[in-house]
Amino acid sequence: MTRGWLAAAAVLAVAALGLSWGPVAGAGHPARVAVVLAAVLAVAAVRSGGDRLLLAAVAAGAVGVLLGGPDPTPGRVALAAATGCLLLHRTARRTPAA
């Protein structure tokens, strides 16, 4: 199931790039940078198997969610869901299969 969480995170991250981040023009630019950074770190974590890189990707996603305030805009919600999927992937990867 770990690949499923990664696929869901990837789809949500791509969606977050295209969705609205707020009523003010340009409000989503710093958050979109965080989305791209999180994606790059997540890919590096998958290729190397590095748990710290995956945690860095989660941190970058969390920063992206927090940038620009607490408004539940579609972009922030999609990025929060993608970050949650990365955490679930990490948990699934660390939990031994039954």
Side-chain angles (χ1 to χ4, degrees):
M1 183 60 187
T2 59
R3 295 269 184 215
W5 290 121
L6 284 177
V11 168
L12 288 164
V14 169
L17 288 173
L19 292 171
S20 169
W21 285 81
V24 179
H29 180 69
R32 285 186 174 98
V33 170
V35 172
V36 172
L37 177 62
V40 168
L41 288 169
V43 167
V46 169
R47 297 189 109 208
S48 70
D51 199 42
R52 289 185 183 186
L53 285 172
L54 191 58
L55 286 176
V58 168
V63 167
V65 170
L66 296 174
L67 284 174
D71 298 331
T73 60
R76 271 191 204 91
V77 172
L79 181 56
T83 303
C85 287
L86 286 177
L87 282 173
L88 289 170
H89 165 73
R90 180 177 180 263
T91 302
R93 192 170 74 174
R94 295 183 70 164
T95 304

